[in-house]
Amino acid sequence: MIRSRLLSRFATTSLTKPGSRTYASHPPGARLNLPTDFSTTPILAHTSKDALSNPELSLEARNGTASRQNLFQSINSALAHALRTDQRTLLFGEDVAFGGVFRCSMKLAEEFGDARVFNTPLTEQGIVGFAVGAAMEGMKPIAEVQFADYIYPAFDQIVNEAAKLRYRAGTNAETMGCGGLVSPEALFMHIPGVRVVIPRSPSQAKGLLLGAIACNDPVVFLEPKILYRAAVEYVPQEAYVLPLSKAEVLREGEDVTIVSYGTPLYTCSSAIAAAERDFGCSVELIDLRTVYPWDRQTIMESVNKTGKCIVVHESMVNAGVGAEVAATVQEGCFLRLEAPVQRVAGWSTHAGLAYEKFNIPDVVRVYDAIKTALSY
């Protein structure tokens, strides 16, 4: 569920003196926040020798020449080379025929013709969707969206089509699919102004959902599908609201902190029971409940007590919730950590239903992480 309440805000303006700055700038005498001098920065190659000494260049490129170009000119050069050397290459999108607002495709339509360099309607879904179809037919499409701000309408085509087609076209394509098993919470965590909530149980779902509905912020409320009928408990009949952005300590412990949310909490609970029986340890289990903005204080207080932290979630490990929690713990609890922060998460691959159990964390993986933390 995504619910947003739009609040009108009227900006107020005040008169300023003619010639005065109305935007942020560095103050007089500043030493650090000065405008970048691109003519002297060591990040750029200021001589032909510097450009040609890059060891990653091909031998042909290193033995060639170099010319001064800005970024749009180098992009234009790369596009021209791709179009010139492979007839399968197509360039299309918003305003590319006349060069685009940033001039990256300037004069390419003149050289290669409007059959290979052409404008499209202003529909990001259509541009990326056409690129996907052209690529499936053996072409080398280059789709121009022009502004990153407008890429979001094409997310369906990027995430559910382009990113999965090569995987789905493998030898197992006829017996498995990979379109339904996704955990997109990390994507929404990158959007300031949005709250992301994932309940672990029926009683939590009711209170958090009512809290999300009452909240003035837009809330992405993600409901674990497996829990719709599997998780059954007593739920208060009267309405109640549970706090957003507040983690809950499900069981206290002294030796290791495990942070999770949603369905994996049940896996963690089983792993903790086995580990405490086998190793004689005490493990603290925390449910984030709201993964953004998340409750940093509760997590860091726990890790400062135990000195060891494991983060468990179903979504893929790279740039996930675990990465954010691990980085925050490292910054806030560094002097109290007794072992590296571990992430037990889904692998960085698409998850076909037939192979789901090999992708998401299971009891053994969480158990092994606890063992590793204790023996570090």
Side-chain angles (χ1 to χ4, degrees), residues 249-308:
V249 179
L250 299 185
R251 57 182 296 164
E252 295 186 353
E254 301 295 330
D255 301 314
V256 181
T257 296
I258 294 183
V259 180
S260 189
Y261 54 89
T263 307
L265 285 163
Y266 300 92
T267 300
C268 293
S269 180
S270 298
I272 290 171
E276 290 184 338
R277 180 185 65 244
D278 295 346
F279 308 132
C281 60
S282 172
V283 181
E284 186 149 297
L285 179 61
I286 301 177
D287 178 9
L288 277 179
R289 301 197 291 186
T290 300
V291 299
Y292 185 79
W294 58 283
D295 184 358
R296 291 166 170 77
Q297 181 177 353
T298 296
I299 305 307
M300 289 193 289
E301 286 178 354
S302 175
V303 178
N304 279 328
K305 175 181 66 174
T306 65
K308 299 173 180 178

Side-chain angles (χ1 to χ4, degrees), residues 43 48 67 98 109 152 205 253 285 329 356:
I43 302 298
S48 176
S67 61
F98 75 87
Y152 296 107
L285 179 61
V329 167
E356 178 185 18

